[in-house]
Amino acid sequence: MREITVRRFALSIAVAGAVMLLLPMVISTFTLTLLLIYGMLGMSLGLIWGFGGILCFGQAAFFGLGAYAYAVSAINFGESTLPMLIAVLLPAIFALILGAMMFYGRLGDVYLGIITLVVTLIFFKFMNSTAGPEYIIGDARLGGFNGIPGYQTLNVPGYPDKYVFGDNLYYVTFGLLFITYWLVNWLLASPFGRVAVAIRENEQRVSLMGYDVRARKTILFAAGGAIAGLSGALFANWAEIVTPSLFSLGQTAEIIIWCIVGGLGTRLGPLLGAAGLAYLKFILGQQMLIDNAIIMGLILVLFVLFLPKGLVPAMDSIGQYFVTRFNGRAKIYPNKAEASSND
Amino acid sequence: MDLAAVIAVETIYTIASLVLISAGLAIVFGMMKVINLAHGEFMMMGGYATITAVNWGINIYVAMLVIAPLIVGIIGLIVERLVIRHLYGRLVDTMLATWGLSLLFVGLVTMIFGNTTTGISTPIPGMTFGDYQINGYNFFIIIVALLLVVLIYAVLKYTRIGLIARGTMQSPEMASAMGYSPDKIYMATFFVGSALSGLAGAVLAPLVGLVPSSGGAYIAKAFITVIAGGPSIITGLVSSGSIFGLVNQAFTFSISPVFGDVALLVAAVILLRLLPQGVTGRFFRGKL
């Protein structure tokens, strides 16, 4: 893993700033905001699955929880600063509890997948059945399958009537995504991140070395939950309504497809996979010829069969091939695991 | 007294339907270790096969018990040849590939049949129990589930085919050395598993209206039943089906059907936390 240097950081700010200003010339900021939100969601699963080896089939649970937490608390508080914090903390705490339950029970990968899937379904079923007037949190009615509309959207901290929307919401989302990306980078470059990768490679060996595998997995899982929660809160601001479909099977499946297509074990892969596939879906939605699900399904099957490492690592190895070819000098990695964790 | 009888029948019916929807998955996951997330879609296609066949004027029992399993079995066969056979032994990859397949099937069926609810009426009239009315079709489902369990048990335990299948799943190399082709046996087992899913979907189709996405309603229940059952296929299926069926009905009668479903899922999470190997991993060890 490359070290984070001041130069690299400055360079990435410059690149990100240029991208942020150039993208709206191609795609409308309204669509772009959603793509960035999905990118952040993809990154959250990419972190825990690609670097921690935790296959979470229920990332949508934290996404939806973040969105609902924002909506409910925004109605109750009438401004957005505290609700944004709650929308990050609540999913993180929930992930911490759920993760502790699973990892301290030493559940294997498949069982982990099923349990997280079941938890998402519990939310889906429960939220769908909360149409009655008795389901109230503070002033907010949960609203069943109709969802919660009409809450306070993002505003400038301290000024509840200065709303952040349209182009400004896009810039805020881009900024938050950039910060999150660097926090993830920092986490992965830290000793904690390195041990997480080691756990992915060989859990038993790491635990024999004296590391507390269970606690580390739980914390990583909670970090993923926090990021997913933040993207959920941003989604609530973008869509201006939250519905139980945030917890649906389709939503939770899509996050997994993003990660597989983009490339696991890379930092940029899930982000680009999410934004790219969401945009593809947006374009496909404009034609009536073929059902969307067919193409999404086909993409997933083909990727699992033929390109299981995903696009970004594939591009990377093609790039490496040409670099070696023309320089006559291979880039030397200490070992394979290190090579695959580069982006 | 009448109410007690009704509750008893409803509870047995819930257990039977859980066993029914999980049987195909138990074969595919329990024996072959293939996580088939398209299981719900296999059931959905079984339902559509039945409804289409009935609309063409075929007898409903023939459609449910013969045509639907055959069609879904053949679809399963094609899927196995094209996708699954490349992924044996890679648990997580089968999970992802079959998830893709499930999306694909939902999309295909939406294109063919449209996104509206279709259904047929149940062939058996309701029965009166004192002051209460029971759906007569529930008894049919109970009988089908019972026969199915007995049949699978008998085939696996007492026939040569069952012995070969079980042997291959335990040690493909050994079976291969004995002159049986593991490739063909895996193929046949997947065919049987998909056919059973198709049968379950077909039998349940008259009770619930079908939409292309209705497979999603079964997949979680089927999975937790099979996984909570543990390594023994039949014993696990029946025991975990009974536990979840009882929990579901207890909460359905005391609160509401939605809480019954939620309680079932919560019970599954707790059960898996306490018994990660499933019910038969701790108790009933080594049974079939």
Side-chain angles (χ1 to χ4, degrees):
Chain A
M1 208 164 290
R2 283 166 221 159
E3 291 304 320
I4 299 172
T5 60
V6 178
R7 226 182 96 210
R8 247 170 80 75
F9 188 65
L11 188 70
S12 77
I13 286 184
V15 170
V19 169
M20 180 172 84
L21 293 174
L22 286 177
L23 272 179
M25 295 178 187
V26 192
I27 311 171
S28 74
T29 49
F30 183 72
T31 316
L32 271 177
T33 312
L34 182 65
L35 299 187
L36 295 179
I37 292 167
Y38 282 160
M40 191 187 282
L41 182 56
M43 202 167 71
S44 76
L45 183 63
L47 171 66
I48 62 168
W49 187 15
F51 292 97
I54 304 163
L55 173 53
C56 173
F57 245 77
Q59 203 69 5
F62 309 122
F63 180 62
L65 205 58
Y68 265 92
Y70 176 81
V72 168
S73 48
I75 288 179
N76 284 316
F77 293 120
E79 60 95 43
S80 71
T81 316
L82 200 58
M84 283 303 273
L85 282 177
I86 293 173
V88 175
L89 282 179
L90 188 76
I93 292 167
F94 179 68
L96 203 67
I97 295 167
L98 184 68
M101 191 202 94
M102 294 188 303
F103 300 124
Y104 282 85
R106 295 196 188 281
L107 289 178
D109 45 356
V110 173
Y111 297 92
L112 217 73
I114 299 298
I115 286 201
T116 48
L117 185 65
V118 168
V119 168
T120 315
L121 281 176
I122 293 176
F123 275 116
F124 183 63
K125 291 216 164 176
F126 178 74
M127 282 304 176
N128 260 320
S129 71
T130 55
E134 69 270 31
Y135 295 102
I136 291 179
I137 301 177
D139 296 330
R141 273 187 63 175
L142 291 178
F145 49 81
N146 291 320
I148 309 175
Y151 42 83
Q152 170 92 5
T153 54
L154 203 62
N155 58 258
V156 179
Y159 300 94
D161 42 356
K162 287 203 168 144
Y163 293 104
V164 178
F165 65 99
D167 283 0
N168 290 331
L169 183 62
Y170 164 69
Y171 294 126
V172 168
T173 311
F174 201 106
L176 284 173
L177 179 63
F178 184 79
I179 295 169
T180 319
Y181 178 76
W182 272 100
L183 283 177
V184 167
N185 251 349
W186 168 77
L187 185 73
L188 288 173
S190 71
F192 178 86
R194 286 169 176 259
V195 175
V197 173
I199 291 172
R200 175 193 71 186
E201 294 300 320
N202 193 330
E203 191 172 329
Q204 197 172 18
R205 203 175 286 171
V206 176
S207 121
L208 285 174
M209 283 173 177
Y211 291 105
D212 189 347
V213 170
R214 297 167 299 180
R216 280 160 188 275
K217 278 176 121 176
T218 308
I219 292 168
L220 189 69
F221 195 66
I227 299 173
L230 176 62
S231 67
L234 288 170
F235 182 85
N237 276 305
W238 176 84
E240 298 183 5
I241 184 169
V242 292
T243 61
S245 68
L246 291 169
F247 296 109
S248 67
L249 274 175
Q251 179 72 58
T252 200
E254 228 164 275
I255 309 173
I256 290 183
I257 300 177
W258 295 338
C259 287
I260 283 283
V261 170
L264 274 180
T266 67
R267 281 161 287 181
L268 223 44
L271 201 166
L272 294 179
L277 282 181
Y279 190 57
L280 180 70
K281 199 176 166 186
F282 172 73
I283 295 171
L284 287 174
Q286 293 170 343
Q287 54 90 36
M288 301 297 289
L289 204 61
I290 303 176
D291 195 276
N292 242 330
I294 297 183
I295 295 173
M296 285 307 192
L298 211 56
I299 288 176
L300 181 56
V301 174
L302 292 178
F303 266 87
V304 171
L305 282 178
F306 299 111
L307 210 62
K309 289 186 79 177
L311 273 182
V312 170
M315 295 292 193
D316 199 38
S317 49
I318 292 172
Q320 287 297 321
Y321 171 79
F322 282 111
V323 168
T324 349
R325 187 92 188 257
F326 294 118
N327 285 354
R329 186 156 49 105
K331 194 171 177 182
I332 296 160
Y333 289 111
N335 60 45
K336 251 185 127 176
E338 283 274 306
S340 65
S341 63
N342 258 306
D343 59 7
Chain B
M1 188 59 216
D2 294 337
L3 184 65
V6 171
I7 292 179
V9 171
E10 282 292 317
T11 308
I12 295 171
Y13 159 73
T14 310
I15 296 170
S17 60
L18 273 177
V19 168
L20 199 61
I21 62 176
S22 319
L25 194 71
I27 299 281
V28 171
F29 177 66
M31 291 182 72
M32 304 171 68
K33 295 283 170 276
V34 169
I35 302 201
N36 183 14
L37 284 178
H39 174 71
E41 277 65 37
F42 281 170
M43 290 183 60
M44 176 268 289
M45 289 190 290
Y48 270 101
T50 311
I51 289 176
T52 313
V54 169
N55 287 343
W56 281 352
I58 297 169
N59 180 294
I60 186 167
Y61 291 103
V62 177
M64 279 193 304
L65 302 177
V66 182
I67 293 176
L70 261 183
I71 289 178
V72 177
I74 290 166
I75 294 173
L77 209 59
I78 298 169
V79 164
E80 200 267 353
R81 285 291 93 183
L82 287 179
V83 179
I84 311 286
R85 93 186 141 111
H86 305 290
L87 302 171
Y88 285 126
R90 288 154 60 187
L91 216 55
V92 173
D93 283 349
T94 57
M95 195 159 162
L96 297 170
T98 50
W99 189 289
L101 285 173
S102 85
L103 286 177
L104 193 71
F105 288 139
V106 171
L108 279 177
V109 173
T110 310
M111 278 185 80
I112 298 171
F113 292 95
N115 215 347
T116 48
T117 310
T118 44
I120 43 175
S121 51
T122 52
I124 302 171
M127 294 174 195
T128 18
F129 248 109
D131 297 337
Y132 301 94
Q133 177 105 4
I134 288 190
N135 190 350
Y137 194 72
N138 291 359
F139 289 103
F140 177 70
I141 287 184
I142 294 171
I143 291 166
V144 170
L146 201 65
L147 284 179
L148 202 66
V149 167
V150 172
L151 191 72
I152 298 173
Y153 183 80
V155 168
L156 285 177
K157 178 112 187 179
Y158 298 113
T159 66
R160 192 163 175 79
I161 301 170
L163 188 68
I164 295 169
R166 278 192 293 150
T168 311
M169 302 312 152
Q170 279 185 8
S171 166
E173 292 85 7
M174 188 61 83
S176 169
M178 308 271 268
Y180 301 106
S181 157
D183 195 46
K184 279 192 187 133
I185 293 163
Y186 274 118
M187 194 172 88
T189 314
F190 200 82
F191 173 80
V192 173
S194 340
L196 288 180
S197 320
L199 176 75
V203 170
L204 291 173
L207 281 180
V208 289
L210 272 181
V211 273
S213 58
S214 46
Y218 301 118
I219 185 72
K221 275 187 195 172
F223 252 102
I224 55 176
T225 309
V226 171
I227 286 185
S232 309
I233 301 168
I234 299 297
T235 323
L237 196 60
V238 175
S239 52
S240 66
S242 308
I243 293 172
F244 292 142
L246 286 173
V247 170
N248 184 314
Q249 283 304 302
F251 281 87
T252 299
F253 276 105
S254 53
I255 307 175
S256 78
V258 175
F259 270 91
D261 275 355
V262 172
L264 190 158
L265 296 171
V266 172
V269 172
I270 296 170
L271 188 75
L272 273 181
R273 175 64 179 79
L274 296 176
L275 302 170
Q277 297 297 312
V279 181
T280 55
R282 171 75 61 93
F283 312 105
F284 312 111
R285 239 166 216 238
K287 295 269 178 20
L288 184 64

